[in-house]
Amino acid sequence: MKTGLFLALSFILCASGSAAPDPVLDISGKMLRTGNDYYILPVFSGRGGGLTLASTGNETCPLHVVQEQLEVSNGLPVTFSPFNIKKGVIRVSTDHNIKFSAATICVQSTVWKLANFDDSTRQWFLTSGGVEGNPGRQTIDNWFKIEKHEDDYKLVFCPTVCDFCKVMCRDVGVFIDDAGVRRLALSDVPFKIMFKRA
């Protein structure tokens, strides 16, 4: 009897401990799904619009992930590709590739990645040109997470797709450069976001 009770309790504890993370919800309360296009929008109005790609400084390519200046602009839609592509629902605290659903003049992908450290601004910026899928050491800079932040969401760079890789974990925020461009960069102040189906 004691053995049966112990096994039953062990099963219940194991089953409850392996529950899937919560799904990410859009502004209408529907779950985000792979293959669908979404706009990433700021929670607070008056601080810019949705996300898009833009050249910065004297560089034409690669294009950087930036926030639209006008809050009325939704920016470009993105798709999310989770580490485990067999699951159709986008969930918090799991690794995803984020890809703009757009063509560019640059001969490279629109998958987001973390760029090399910028010495002049002392920032880690988000840029395009990442690799979709293929999790491992070579693609470690291409994976981002969506996390709950208060009643909203935030993006986080803290990839777990490589068991032996040493990575930094930081929130994604907005850095306003000298030209007034609102660039996405790693930050101590998270960019609070919401998702709208395109």
Side-chain angles (χ1 to χ4, degrees), residues 61-63 104-111 127-130:
C61 296
L63 296 174
T104 71
I105 59 168
C106 298
V107 184
Q108 63 185 40
S109 77
T110 59
V111 175
T127 188
S128 61

Side-chain angles (χ1 to χ4, degrees), residues 84-182:
N84 184 353
I85 57 173
K86 294 178 185 172
K87 307 291 182 187
V89 176
I90 305 302
R91 298 187 179 277
V92 297
S93 305
T94 58
D95 291 298
H96 300 90
N97 292 134
I98 305 173
K99 179 180 179 180
F100 282 110
S101 298
T104 71
I105 59 168
C106 298
V107 184
Q108 63 185 40
S109 77
T110 59
V111 175
W112 296 16
K113 72 175 187 175
L114 185 67
N116 292 332
F117 185 72
D118 185 307
D119 288 321
S120 64
T121 59
R122 313 289 302 153
Q123 298 292 318
W124 293 93
F125 291 114
L126 275 59
T127 188
S128 61
V131 176
E132 190 170 10
N134 196 26
R137 187 169 46 111
Q138 290 80 17
T139 64
I140 197 76
D141 293 338
N142 305 322
W143 298 93
F144 297 87
K145 291 183 167 116
I146 301 168
E147 298 286 359
K148 254 333 234 179
H149 182 62
E150 297 166 353
D151 291 331
D152 302 299
Y153 295 101
K154 66 179 179 177
L155 296 172
V156 175
F157 178 80
C158 191
T160 54
V161 297
C162 177
D163 292 335
F164 57 88
C165 296
K166 188 173 185 175
V167 298
M168 66 178 147
C169 292
R170 300 271 307 273
D171 290 333
V172 174
V174 175
F175 175 83
I176 303 173
D177 68 17
D178 292 339
V181 178
R182 302 177 65 85

